[in-house]
Amino acid sequence: MNKISSICFGCEPLGGTDWGNVDIKAIEDAVNTALDLGLNFFDTAGVYGLGLSEKRLSRILGKRRHDVVIATKGGLRWDQSESKRKVILKDSSPESIRGDVESSLKRLKLDILPIFYVHWPDSNTKIEDTFFELLKLKNEGKIKSIGCSNFSAKQLDIASNVCKIEYVQLPVNILDGPPNKNISEICTNKKIKIIAYNVLLNGLLTGKFDQNSSFPKNDRRSRLSIFKGSTFLDALKKVDKLKIEAENVNNSLAHYSIDWVLKQENIISVVIGIKSTDQIIDNWSVKSNLI
Ligand SMILES: NC(=O)c1ccc[n+]([C@@H]2O[C@H](COP(=O)([O-])OP(=O)(O)OC[C@H]3O[C@@H](n4cnc5c(N)ncnc54)[C@H](OP(=O)(O)O)[C@@H]3O)[C@@H](O)[C@H]2O)c1
């Protein structure tokens, strides 16, 4: 497998939902710029835009999709009926996981998925059953590497006793602190690499928001508690302090935050949601990425 870049292009906005009014052409331009810069790692999921993120990523990359590392995720089913907001159900049953792998292969137009994560643990399915099925899919040549996303230490331990887990994806940022110690320990012992998301805390750690910031209804930040009331005001105070820390070392808050995450044990790459060429150029120029 290619060595993956330490900045991973987060493709959830490419799905077109829950991140406000996104300009798909602007994201397409950003993908092309990212490739020119040397980025080779993309993060998507079946559920992002209910299949649209994977389809669009494949279209934009064209033949180049075979030269990069695309990580996708499954184990979430959506209610197909037309409702205002789709109902998402966790389902990592062997049949559902197999179906998800097959669907992602079709949408991405790939013969093998470089990385396939179980998106969220499903309490109705035995973890052993899910990962035994994934092992079968790997042996059939449909998946190269298996990963767990949002798993607890205990769940990760069970999964990693069934098959080799290569990657764990979980939220890590400078405000909330390093990854859970028990997860880190398992990752060190079993040589599992961590891919972090929520590194910019949905943009908060760029320092661009203030108490007057608000978000449209179709942007998840209009629902998230960190962007509401006193929690938001407290977070903004912490962000101000971090901004000063960053300035003291001649860094922007966003870069300081990304650098901090990349320095944590076992973390080899950070997934950052991208909406524009400016954002990928800015994030790519993080000091530790250019060393
Ligand atoms: N495994 C999982 O369960 C899971 C969950 C969530 C996300 N993810 C993955 O992680 C990716 C990132 O999502 P996240 O929730 O972690 O969000 P994030 O990366 O913390 O924040 C992303 C948002 O920050 C803003 N931003 C990014 N770079 C910027 C820059 N240089 N300057 C100013 N603003 C900038 C953009 O939004 P605005 O321009 O609108 O402010 C962008 O959409 C997703 O695309 C997805 O691939 C995975």
Side-chain angles (χ1 to χ4, degrees), residues 12 43 149-150 169 198 202 208 221 275 279 282-283:
E12 194 170 15
D43 184 81
S149 164
N150 303 306
Q169 186 171 132
N198 219 218
N202 305 105
K208 66 181 176 181
R221 291 171 287 195
K275 285 182 169 172
Q279 288 183 354
D282 182 32
N283 297 335

Side-chain angles (χ1 to χ4, degrees), residues 73 118-121 148-152 155 168-171 197:
K73 316 179 193 79
V118 175
H119 206 149
W120 285 90
C148 299
S149 164
N150 303 306
F151 274 43
S152 69
Q155 290 161 336
V168 155
Q169 186 171 132
L170 75 180
Y197 75 90

Side-chain angles (χ1 to χ4, degrees), residues 93-210:
S93 60
E95 310 74 54
S96 189
I97 276 290
R98 178 168 285 273
D100 288 353
V101 167
E102 304 281 3
S103 301
S104 287
L105 283 168
K106 274 191 204 133
R107 288 190 291 254
L108 287 164
K109 297 198 169 117
L110 289 173
D111 299 324
I112 180 165
L113 299 174
I115 302 174
F116 181 86
Y117 300 97
V118 175
H119 206 149
W120 285 90
D122 161 22
S123 54
N124 294 318
T125 304
K126 265 184 86 182
I127 292 176
E128 289 88 339
D129 293 348
T130 306
F131 286 86
F132 187 64
E133 191 67 19
L134 284 169
L135 183 59
K136 281 205 259 175
L137 286 155
K138 187 176 173 180
N139 290 338
E140 290 166 27
K142 293 179 175 171
I143 302 173
K144 203 158 191 182
S145 300
I146 299 170
C148 299
S149 164
N150 303 306
F151 274 43
S152 69
K154 195 172 169 206
Q155 290 161 336
L156 174 61
D157 194 41
I158 298 171
S160 63
N161 285 332
V162 179
C163 63
K164 171 69 190 157
I165 303 296
E166 307 249 14
Y167 300 96
V168 155
Q169 186 171 132
L170 75 180
V172 186
N173 60 67
I174 193 169
L175 262 192
D176 296 330
N180 169 284
K181 272 193 185 148
N182 298 333
I183 293 183
S184 277
E185 212 175 282
I186 297 172
C187 290
T188 303
N189 291 340
K190 299 203 170 176
K191 295 194 169 32
I192 301 171
K193 297 172 245 352
I194 301 180
I195 311 295
Y197 75 90
N198 219 218
V199 171
L200 293 180
L201 246 177
N202 305 105
L204 191 64
L205 287 169
T206 60
K208 66 181 176 181
F209 300 131
D210 63 30

Side-chain angles (χ1 to χ4, degrees), residues 30-42:
V31 168
N32 288 316
T33 302
L35 292 168
D36 290 345
L37 290 169
L39 182 148
N40 70 350
F41 191 21
F42 293 85

